[in-house]
Amino acid sequence: MFIVSPDKFLLEKSKSTLIDTPDEYAVAAFAPKPGLVTLNVSLGAKTLSAMRNGKFFKVYPIAVGKPATPTPTGTFKIINKQVNPGEVYGTRWMGLSKKGFGIHGTNDPGSIGKAASHGCIRMNNKDIEELFAYTNVYSTVNILP
């Protein structure tokens, strides 16, 4: 497991070790590409658009919250990142500054494009893995109706 939070890195080697700064293994494997990344989520269109330094560069299909458990709107930050967080969250998790909500993969790819989650933003695992690689902790996430 690999967890990235604003101030700690957890790497699994022969034994998990908590360290204050990333080592060259973490940087080589998970370093985001240069540039400020902003994510814009359209709940209506069920898409997540990525921008770097103010320029659009990628759009992904997503699943959003069901009417009974809607995805919150507003501006948030990514506060932590985790590899292999558990089956229902797919292969990656990026926690938002809105407690209990995040952007994650899914074990139900048929839900993408629908209002199907408990409020989180679901992505195909291959998409969240790509997004995870170039999104920083503290990246801004704008969630719009």
Side-chain angles (χ1 to χ4, degrees), residues 11-35:
L11 299 173
E12 183 177 345
K13 295 181 182 177
S14 59
K15 178 175 151 185
S16 293
T17 308
L18 194 60
I19 57 176
D20 290 324
T21 57
D23 64 11
E24 61 276 0
Y25 172 80
V27 171
F30 296 101
K33 295 176 184 173

Side-chain angles (χ1 to χ4, degrees), residues 48-60:
L48 182 151
S49 301
M51 298 178 70
R52 184 178 294 118
N53 297 324
K55 296 181 182 175
F56 166 82
F57 69 93
K58 189 82 179 199
V59 65
Y60 300 97

Side-chain angles (χ1 to χ4, degrees), residues 20-98:
D20 290 324
T21 57
D23 64 11
E24 61 276 0
Y25 172 80
V27 171
F30 296 101
K33 295 176 184 173
L36 181 62
V37 175
T38 301
L39 306 178
N40 295 311
V41 174
S42 170
L43 299 177
K46 296 175 185 66
T47 58
L48 182 151
S49 301
M51 298 178 70
R52 184 178 294 118
N53 297 324
K55 296 181 182 175
F56 166 82
F57 69 93
K58 189 82 179 199
V59 65
Y60 300 97
I62 60 171
V64 298
K66 298 180 277 195
T69 54
T71 302
T73 57
T75 299
F76 309 100
K77 298 285 185 186
I78 292 175
I79 60 167
N80 60 53
K81 297 169 72 174
Q82 185 176 351
V83 173
N84 297 323
E87 186 178 349
V88 297
Y89 301 112
T91 61
R92 302 288 184 273
W93 164 268
M94 296 191 299
L96 299 179
S97 54
K98 175 77 171 176

Side-chain angles (χ1 to χ4, degrees), residues 98-121:
K98 175 77 171 176
K99 186 175 181 173
F101 293 91
I103 303 169
H104 62 80
T106 184
N107 64 350
D108 182 11
S111 68
I112 302 301
K114 300 176 183 171
S117 79
H118 289 103
C120 287
I121 297 159

